[in-house]
Amino acid sequence: MTIDATDTAAGEAPEDGVSTAGGPGLPQERRLVTEIPGPRSRELLERKAAAVARGVGHTAPIAAVAAGGGVVVDADGNSLIDLGSGIAVTGVGNAHPAVVAAVSAQAAQFTHTCFMVSPYEGYVAVAERLNALTPGDHEKRSALFNSGAEAVENAVKIARKHTGRQAVVAFDHAYHGRTSLTMALTAKSMPYKSGFGPFSPEIYRAPVSYPLRDGLDGAQAAARAIGVIEKQVGADNLAAVIIEPVLGEGGFIVPAEGFLPALAAWCAEQGVVFIADEVQTGFARTGAMFACEHEGVVPDLIVTAKGIAGGLPLSAVTGRAEVMDAAHVGGLGGTYGGNPLACAAALAAMDVYESERLSEAAQSIGAVITERMSALQAADARVGEVRGRGAMMAVELVDAATGEPDAALAGTVARAAIAAGVIVLTCGTYGNVLRFLPPLTIPEHLLVEGLDVVAVALREAP
Ligand code: PLZ
């Protein structure tokens, strides 16, 4: 690598440690003062290896101590450009002052009552906001949970109760979580499912639209999927179809135009609950508040998490009142679902998405990434496709001669970028996709610098 640290000051970590105050006030710069990982990070990673289960991996070998705006700072004083947002979570930016203030105030008031024991306003207010914010102007209800997977599980429970049917269809390349039911919905075996079966029954898989690899238009891909569903499951047995409007872990696959509307229309005709899993795409990420909006799709149920609460664990199922209310009293819940700290954070974060016009910011970020990565594609046949929506963009890397997925190359580029101070994640069923999910508050100079580092890493990769 020829990328040098731009601002290496004394060339080592400050003696009395690193300031741990995060938020947008952190210097918005890439700064390497040690190799990555530096000595303090290595020390933590050694403790991790000895104390934390091996199954819990990590992408960037650093010990994070602060983050904000577009950077993550490690224990050695390195400042890395953040192109991952902790997997699409910190859309409003890490430690956003409004989120910090709301959570601090709530923590001083009460930290927990259990909403099922003693209800409180924050939960109800989040439900009201979600009901207003999500697509469609029909009457809605929401229920709150902790993780994306838990919300997906509950969406399936609700759809089954509403329809009295059991089967659920998910798609090739889908990712819906790691719990027992959501593992069954997730498509990829390694690392998510391998050895962890048996899997929940009555889950069926249909082909999705993947324009780069199937060459079908949206109508053709929808006809193919619906054909499979009708032949192999039958609408009479089908409670729900669940889909990510842009497939996330599976490779940032944007279905061909018309695919999602055709699928939603078929579900409506057949009385099948159409569930949009917007856990990764939600909250301004794709340049609209929700990705379904790009094609005017109104899901029966929409599942949200990640970006909802500026980094605190919260998730939700929102949808048609008559579907949501099918579950009997006491049928939905959990000790922590809609925790007051997470609700306070969500209310603050949802304000920020609107007041800071982060959907527009996501569009601008998308334009910058598209421009730079398309230039890269023009110069390098290993860039098979540049795709995505808004600030959810990806580059699919392929063998220049055969067009076959090149996972090794994606891994090499991501590791080199991280070593040079830019956090980049990979994804894809074939593991060959570099994905860009910067905080929507990232300053443009950092975004551009981060992409340039990735471009150099690709150019120098064998
Ligand atoms: N649905 C669309 O993207 C989480 C998973 C990372 P949880 N994606 C990141 C990993 O390797 O575990 C995700 C998603 C979509 C559901 C989920 C699950 O959300 O909050 O991780 O449970």
Side-chain angles (χ1 to χ4, degrees):
M1 295 291 297
T2 53
I3 309 155
D4 288 317
T6 47
D7 184 10
T8 48
E12 51 187 49
E15 268 181 19
D16 22 334
V18 179
S19 160
T20 47
L26 278 174
Q28 295 297 300
E29 61 184 5
R30 179 170 65 103
R31 184 182 68 235
L32 294 183
V33 296
T34 70
E35 62 181 344
I36 302 277
R40 291 179 191 194
S41 292
R42 278 202 301 274
E43 204 183 304
L44 183 72
L45 296 175
E46 275 162 29
R47 281 172 57 199
K48 176 187 182 251
V52 179
R54 188 169 68 111
V56 186
H58 62 262
T59 302
I62 60 166
V65 294
V71 298
V72 176
V73 175
D74 75 10
D76 296 290
N78 299 298
S79 173
L80 291 84
I81 297 176
D82 183 9
L83 298 184
S85 299
I87 323 189
V89 170
T90 54
V92 298
N94 224 307
H96 189 290
V99 172
V100 173
V103 172
S104 308
Q106 179 60 49
Q109 236 175 323
F110 64 93
T111 50
H112 176 82
T113 62
C114 184
F115 189 74
M116 300 184 306
V117 176
S118 310
Y120 42 87
E121 204 223 337
Y123 186 120
V124 177
V126 169
E128 288 167 348
R129 287 290 284 277
L130 288 170
N131 295 348
L133 209 56
T134 49
D137 50 15
H138 48 276
E139 194 179 344
K140 292 178 210 153
R141 304 277 187 271
S142 288
L144 305 184
F145 305 97
N146 301 288
S147 67
E150 191 187 2
V152 168
E153 295 240 355
N154 278 279
V156 169
K157 281 166 64 175
I158 291 163
R160 284 178 169 157
K161 191 76 203 271
H162 170 71
T163 57
R165 306 172 184 169
Q166 294 188 350
V168 177
V169 163
F171 289 84
D172 286 335
H173 310 290
Y175 183 91
H176 298 291
R178 294 175 178 270
T179 59
S180 184
L181 173 60
T182 59
M183 259 196 304
L185 295 168
T186 291
K188 191 174 174 177
S189 173
M190 200 59 188
Y192 306 124
K193 306 167 71 162
S194 187
F196 298 138
F199 303 109
S200 187
E202 286 305 314
I203 308 287
Y204 300 87
R205 198 162 304 285
V208 77
S209 162
Y210 190 166
L212 174 69
R213 299 203 172 271
D214 66 22
L216 302 178
D217 68 24
Q220 291 165 334
R224 179 179 65 169
I226 290 165
V228 167
I229 296 169
E230 286 179 336
K231 291 284 170 303
Q232 298 186 17
V233 188
D236 290 349
N237 303 304
L238 186 56
V241 165
I242 182 163
I243 188 163
E244 302 151 84
V246 176
L247 287 85
E249 304 302 311
F252 282 27
I253 303 162
V254 185
E257 194 182 337
F259 178 78
L260 293 171
L263 208 59
W266 180 82
C267 287
E269 278 162 27
Q270 304 294 331
V272 173
V273 176
F274 182 80
I275 305 173
D277 179 345
E278 293 238 20
V279 167
Q280 191 153 169
T281 50
F283 298 98
R285 174 56 54 188
T286 66
M289 199 46 107
F290 296 100
C292 279
E293 293 168 30
H294 294 292
E295 290 194 78
V297 168
V298 176
D300 299 310
L301 299 182
I302 179 165
V303 181
T304 53
K306 290 190 185 284
I308 189 173
L312 273 84
L314 186 71
S315 64
V317 182
T318 300
R320 293 185 189 283
E322 67 276 18
V323 180
M324 292 294 295
D325 283 341
H328 47 274
V329 174
L332 304 175
T335 306
Y336 291 114
N339 167 271
L341 301 180
C343 286
L347 292 170
M350 285 191 265
D351 282 344
V352 171
Y353 283 112
E354 288 180 331
S355 66
E356 297 187 14
R357 307 163 82 87
L358 294 183
S359 288
E360 286 163 40
Q363 292 165 19
S364 308
I365 289 169
V368 171
I369 298 175
T370 303
E371 191 202 314
R372 297 196 96 81
M373 291 297 127
S374 299
L376 204 59
Q377 183 179 26
D380 192 332
R382 297 173 301 172
V383 178
E385 190 174 44
V386 178
R387 61 170 179 256
R389 283 194 196 277
M392 183 173 182
M393 295 294 302
V395 166
E396 174 153 357
L397 298 179
V398 299
D399 182 292
T402 63
E404 288 299 307
D406 192 342
L409 179 60
T412 301
V413 174
R415 277 190 301 276
I418 291 167
V422 180
I423 299 176
V424 179
L425 309 177
T426 59
C427 66
T429 298
Y430 314 111
N432 65 323
V433 178
L434 296 172
R435 57 170 150 174
F436 304 113
L437 290 165
L440 305 179
T441 53
I442 191 171
E444 186 168 329
H445 77 273
L446 275 192
L447 175 63
V448 167
E449 186 180 340
L451 296 171
D452 285 349
V453 168
V454 172
V456 172
L458 178 63
R459 204 177 312 132
E460 294 188 347

